[in-house]
Amino acid sequence: MLSGLTACPGLFYTTPAQDGILFRLRIPGGILDSKQCRAIADIADQYGAGYVDVTNRANIQIREIDGKINTAVLEYLQDMGLGSRNTAVDHIRNIMTSPTAGIDPQEMINTRPLVKSWDDYIEAHPALSKLSAKFSVCFDGGGIVRVSDRLNDIAFAAVLVDGKVYFRLHLSVGAKGKPPVAMGILLSPEQCLPALAVLTNVYLNHIDPNSRRKSRLREVINSLGCESYLQEVEKSLPFTLFTTEDQVRKGQFFGLFVEKSDNQYQHIGIHPQRQKGLFYIGVVLPLGRLESRQMRGLADLAQRYGSGTLRLTPWQNLLLTDIPQERLGDIQREIAFLGLDYSANNIKSGLVACSGSRGCAAAATDTKGHALALAKYLETRLTLDCPVNIHFSGCEKSCAQHGKSDITLLGVSNGKMESYHIYVGDGDNNQKFGRELYQYVSFDELPALVEQMLKVYLIKRINSRESFGEFANRYVIAQLKQFFSPDMALYQARITTLCKEHR
Ligand code: SF4
């Protein structure tokens, strides 16, 4: 059994962090059963600091471990299905799919069998241990809760063509940090895994398997060119890649391809499932964190009210599923009793932060501490009626959220003062975090400034379906500054005083 320190965490590949050793449990598709939850909670209590973090690939991290988890415990977790049977491939990125796969009332296809098959394939092929640890795959079944716009090397997104379900192939290509791009290729569900196996093999043929820093798929495709890469793939396939560009140009498929989700937090709250009379509840985990007692409590609720499973989401929240309508009132009360919330209006539902200076040496700021302090400040001052995605990142690497957010707060060092650059909405190719609004805003100034930004948004948005990012995109930066702080000097003096009063 492998166990060592690497840059990429896994169950058998620990990683040192600022706050101790970090373990990552890879949960394909993010689905856990109650027994697994209790086992994880026990490990977090026994070896960690009594909590787990849900990551943006629906993994679980146990932090602050003193490094003494022995082989028997690792084997126990493996037996529980919480680690790969083949330890050599456990470090590969988690397979992503919609957390509502199989229960989404609008999905075109349940992608869970594809996740399972690809996970089995990885375990059965030790040669895949040579993949970059960041090699990432996603299956999107075309339901309400979509993941096809998340960052992945390869994504399959379901579409309907003449009443039949196909998957549209997306590959990571071009600039770093952008979602995968549709290749104009449709695959039947049966063709996806053979195609994925060959896409993977051709990639492996073009990287140095012994290099510590392996090239990403995007880099290989950028160097070869998309066409050459796909031609090489096609040579090893028993079928031709069904190129649909001509049909797309004729308009046959326009309107069928939804490239991104309207609202990435649509899973929070109570929603009907495709199974009549059953509901799922999206539970808010503040900054993805779950105390071990809450984890055990949720495992009990899943068993007593639902099907005994919990689904972790790439938005660092979780779902309790298969709840009969008549039991919704009881389970809501019990979730609240655990100190958790299921309301999309909760400011924490869209709040994301990386480990920050408490867990990561690269961090310029205490992102998690600041995010929670901001949430506490805002909770008593305004009420949202839809989630606003506010992302705190301790450095440019942006571990906690790779895609865009409504508001990004990038930690920067400003002498001894912890400060943030503030970005909003969409940027161009050179603006990874969106458009820059302010520089070097100290944390003292931040809460009142964000309060003002959100209040202006609530007043000036077109309607409640317009996200903060979309609202910001309608204005140039000078206008936004005018709305948010007409007189920055006076404003900053005022908010500094206010913050002092509320400290
Ligand atoms: S984004 Fe930067 S500071 Fe935050 S966890 Fe990642 S490397 Fe550390």
Side-chain angles (χ1 to χ4, degrees):
M1 177 166 301
L2 293 169
S3 185
L5 296 177
T6 77
C8 301
L11 180 57
F12 311 101
Y13 301 83
T14 52
T15 298
Q18 205 62 355
D19 52 2
I21 299 293
L22 161 64
F23 275 71
R24 186 217 61 194
L25 298 166
R26 184 172 171 275
I27 318 287
I31 298 191
L32 287 168
D33 64 35
S34 299
K35 213 169 148 197
Q36 289 172 321
C37 280
R38 291 188 194 103
I40 295 169
D42 290 347
I43 301 289
D45 274 346
Q46 208 174 334
Y47 296 96
Y51 68 86
V52 300
D53 284 340
V54 177
T55 75
N56 59 7
R57 290 200 75 83
N59 291 305
I60 279 190
Q61 285 184 351
I62 305 178
R63 303 188 72 101
E64 302 188 48
I65 286 182
D66 64 8
K68 289 179 189 156
I69 294 188
N70 62 37
T71 306
V73 174
L74 296 181
E75 282 172 351
Y76 166 68
L77 291 172
Q78 210 176 13
D79 289 343
M80 298 279 297
L82 291 167
S84 302
R85 282 266 146 232
N86 178 356
T87 57
V89 296
D90 189 66
H91 63 299
I92 295 171
R93 279 203 166 158
N94 201 13
I95 305 164
M96 188 181 285
T97 196
S98 167
T100 53
I103 60 173
D104 190 310
Q106 288 180 22
E107 74 181 358
M108 298 165 201
I109 185 168
N110 177 4
T111 49
R112 287 174 62 187
L114 286 167
V115 171
K116 167 95 176 66
S117 299
W118 181 238
D119 192 45
D120 291 346
Y121 183 90
I122 292 174
E123 291 221 1
H125 292 79
L128 299 191
S129 65
K130 302 294 182 192
L131 286 171
S132 159
K134 294 180 176 174
F135 187 80
S136 46
V137 172
C138 159
F139 298 97
D140 185 319
I144 297 168
V145 182
R146 307 214 56 172
V147 287
S148 56
D149 62 333
R150 308 290 292 177
L151 291 199
N152 281 286
D153 288 343
I154 302 175
F156 297 88
V159 288
L160 272 181
V161 179
D162 292 337
K164 273 185 75 181
V165 176
Y166 289 87
F167 281 93
R168 203 180 189 204
L169 175 67
H170 294 63
L171 297 176
S172 173
V173 58
K176 188 179 174 185
K178 298 287 169 197
V181 176
M183 293 288 111
I185 290 171
L186 292 186
L187 297 160
S188 69
E190 298 72 35
Q191 289 173 329
C192 287
L193 287 184
L196 183 49
V198 179
L199 287 160
T200 306
N201 284 343
V202 171
Y203 159 67
L204 275 175
N205 291 342
H206 287 278
I207 63 170
D208 174 1
N210 299 315
S211 163
R212 185 165 161 77
R213 195 267 172 207
K214 298 195 175 83
S215 300
R216 300 291 306 272
L217 179 67
R218 170 181 50 78
E219 294 166 311
V220 169
I221 296 178
N222 285 349
S223 141
L224 288 177
C226 257
E227 214 175 307
S228 301
Y229 173 69
L230 288 170
Q231 277 169 0
E232 215 176 313
V233 169
E234 196 167 35
K235 275 185 208 152
S236 300
L237 282 173
F239 50 85
T240 55
L241 292 173
F242 178 22
T243 304
T244 63
E245 288 299 345
D246 284 346
Q247 288 131 311
V248 169
R249 262 186 233 112
K250 284 177 200 156
Q252 287 184 24
F253 302 126
F254 274 136
L256 297 172
F257 302 142
V258 180
E259 291 295 335
K260 60 186 180 184
S261 136
D262 287 329
N263 180 345
Q264 52 188 334
Y265 292 97
Q266 290 192 65
H267 58 285
I268 297 295
I270 299 170
H271 303 274
Q273 295 183 189
R274 68 182 307 129
Q275 294 81 8
K276 202 164 178 274
L278 295 181
F279 290 75
Y280 72 86
I281 303 184
V283 180
V284 178
L285 305 184
L287 302 179
R289 187 153 290 184
L290 197 54
E291 294 168 21
S292 48
R293 69 162 182 97
Q294 292 173 321
M295 198 165 189
R296 283 191 201 92
L298 289 172
D300 288 346
L301 296 187
Q303 206 165 16
R304 279 194 285 130
Y305 293 96
S307 53
T309 57
L310 293 88
R311 297 176 178 224
L312 311 178
T313 82
W315 299 276
Q316 297 171 269
N317 294 308
L318 64 77
L319 313 184
L320 293 170
T321 62
D322 307 301
I323 317 292
Q325 185 164 15
E326 63 276 13
R327 309 215 65 190
L328 283 172
D330 293 339
I331 195 168
Q332 285 174 74
R333 275 188 291 281
E334 297 221 37
I335 290 169
F337 190 66
L338 289 172
L340 294 167
D341 193 4
Y342 46 86
S343 162
N345 304 342
N346 186 320
I347 191 83
K348 289 178 189 148
S349 69
L351 197 61
V352 174
C354 73
S355 313
S357 54
R358 295 182 197 188
C360 175
T365 54
D366 175 15
T367 51
K368 277 200 189 292
H370 289 166
L372 289 174
L374 175 67
K376 194 169 174 204
Y377 175 92
L378 294 174
E379 268 162 9
T380 54
R381 287 169 172 81
L382 58 87
T383 306
L384 295 175
D385 53 8
C386 61
V388 175
N389 179 206
I390 304 176
H391 170 206
F392 281 77
S393 190
C395 77
E396 296 256 354
K397 213 168 159 193
S398 191
C399 297
Q401 181 171 326
H402 298 302
K404 64 170 189 159
S405 50
D406 289 315
I407 301 172
T408 299
L409 304 165
L410 173 65
V412 282
S413 170
N414 180 17
K416 285 189 174 169
M417 183 101 74
E418 291 184 291
S419 304
Y420 289 90
H421 292 343
I422 303 182
Y423 301 83
V424 291
D426 291 333
D428 62 26
N429 279 346
N430 299 319
Q431 295 170 308
K432 174 178 174 183
F433 295 113
R435 288 183 301 153
E436 187 179 277
L437 184 63
Y438 297 112
Q439 284 195 330
Y440 295 108
V441 177
S442 72
F443 183 69
D444 277 357
E445 295 170 313
L446 195 68
L449 181 56
V450 175
E451 177 190 359
Q452 181 68 5
M453 289 166 67
L454 295 177
K455 282 182 170 167
V456 170
Y457 155 65
L458 290 173
I459 293 166
K460 285 190 173 286
R461 64 187 175 174
I462 291 170
N463 56 42
S464 62
R465 288 181 56 79
E466 186 178 48
S467 70
F468 181 95
E470 289 163 343
F471 150 74
N473 289 343
R474 289 195 284 115
Y475 298 96
V476 297
I477 287 296
Q479 283 174 302
L480 291 173
K481 282 184 171 171
Q482 188 64 26
F483 296 154
F484 298 150
S485 56
D487 184 330
M488 195 63 181
L490 274 177
Y491 177 75
Q492 294 214 342
R494 183 170 67 81
I495 57 181
T496 304
T497 313
L498 272 174
C499 285
K500 279 181 186 151
E501 283 170 10
H502 293 292
R503 243 182 260 149

